Amino acid sequence: MGVSPGLAAPGTETELWVAARVGGALEAVFEAVAATRADTAALLSRAIAEGRRPVGADLAALRPALHRHLTEGELVSGAGFVAAPGLLADVPAWLEWWQRGADGGIRPLLPDLDPGRSAYSDYTHWDWFALPRDTGRRAVAGPYVDYLCSAEYSLTLSEPVHVQGEFAGVAAADVYLRHFEAAVLPLLRHLARPAHLVNARGRVAASADPAHLAGSLTRGPDFAELLLGGARIGAHQDMRLVPCRGVPLVLVLT
């Protein structure tokens, strides 16, 4: 069943305000992701211009900016670039990933990507990698327990990196769910109806509605299709659907 246009209703102005504020909170994180995407595309292009395939050591040039995003980004707990398999000449897979610890220190992620030993060696099926690769658009994945990086309940925001028209991997940033909830739950409680936020897969990213817990799935329309329509308010059965303009989340009121 598709999405029908929503009629103007009491509280619409507040709903749009809340959706815009949620979008603004995540847009600050996506700005860091976009900067990483641009930096990565530039350094990979330089390697190709030199007549060679890039190697893992080339990605070290990303580190000063990644450290800055982690230091200055209020919601950013991890940031980096995840290479498409086969991109680099010296390793089959690579994460140039840095994260901020509980003590505020910034340290690298050193994952075991040996397929013979690690269950996390193939990251290409995870939403934070697959959605940008398959759609060419930014994505919000999760929340999920991030066993690869922090063992925290997290969201991952990501965008595809392309070089000479070819997919090279994703630029991404992690946001701990507890930090995201602290930012958006006070906004959701402004609304007259129970509300929650879902990503393009319909997974609940944050909720002020006890009937829809964070991490659960909302049965409804094709949320990805709704997000392609921009800021248009929609309706599905008894739900009002308000896209958070600019970021791939939908405000759902029940």
Side-chain angles (χ1 to χ4, degrees), residues 26-43:
L26 283 192
E27 191 60 52
V29 180
F30 270 120
E31 287 176 3
V33 173
T36 302
R37 182 196 67 216
D39 291 346
T40 305
L43 71 85

Side-chain angles (χ1 to χ4, degrees), residues 120 126 142-155:
Y120 305 109
W126 293 350
Y144 63 99
V145 179
D146 188 2
Y147 290 114
L148 179 60
C149 295
S150 64
E152 284 261 6
Y153 212 28
S154 301
L155 301 170

Side-chain angles (χ1 to χ4, degrees), residues 136-176:
R137 299 182 178 89
R138 54 172 50 178
V140 175
Y144 63 99
V145 179
D146 188 2
Y147 290 114
L148 179 60
C149 295
S150 64
E152 284 261 6
Y153 212 28
S154 301
L155 301 170
T156 299
L157 284 59
S158 55
E159 295 186 358
V161 177
H162 291 96
V163 178
Q164 297 185 339
E166 297 294 325
F167 175 73
V170 301
D174 283 342
V175 176
Y176 291 155

Side-chain angles (χ1 to χ4, degrees), residues 7-15 192-193 240:
L7 299 175
T12 297
E13 184 175 338
T14 302
E15 293 164 8
R193 297 169 60 177
R240 281 176 59 77

Side-chain angles (χ1 to χ4, degrees), residues 93-232:
W94 187 268
L95 287 85
E96 183 62 44
W97 196 263
W98 293 75
Q99 50 198 12
R100 183 172 56 197
D103 60 357
I106 296 172
R107 54 184 61 91
L109 175 70
L110 302 172
D112 182 356
L113 297 179
D114 184 335
R117 295 194 304 262
S118 173
Y120 305 109
S121 60
D122 180 11
Y123 44 70
T124 61
H125 63 284
W126 293 350
D127 276 355
W128 51 261
F129 191 93
L131 281 170
R133 178 196 62 201
D134 296 345
T135 68
R137 299 182 178 89
R138 54 172 50 178
V140 175
Y144 63 99
V145 179
D146 188 2
Y147 290 114
L148 179 60
C149 295
S150 64
E152 284 261 6
Y153 212 28
S154 301
L155 301 170
T156 299
L157 284 59
S158 55
E159 295 186 358
V161 177
H162 291 96
V163 178
Q164 297 185 339
E166 297 294 325
F167 175 73
V170 301
D174 283 342
V175 176
Y176 291 155
L177 181 63
R178 53 190 169 89
H179 293 161
F180 181 60
E181 288 178 327
V184 303
L185 288 183
L187 299 171
L188 300 186
R189 294 181 181 126
H190 275 283
L191 298 165
R193 297 169 60 177
H196 59 284
L197 296 160
V198 302
N199 65 15
R201 299 281 203 204
R203 190 165 300 282
V204 179
S207 178
D209 181 352
H212 297 274
L213 301 179
S216 64
L217 289 171
T218 293
R219 299 173 69 90
D222 185 335
F223 291 106
E225 181 182 356
L226 175 65
L227 286 164
L228 288 177
R232 188 181 184 190

Side-chain angles (χ1 to χ4, degrees), residues 54 77 99 230 241:
S77 60
Q99 50 198 12
L241 308 170

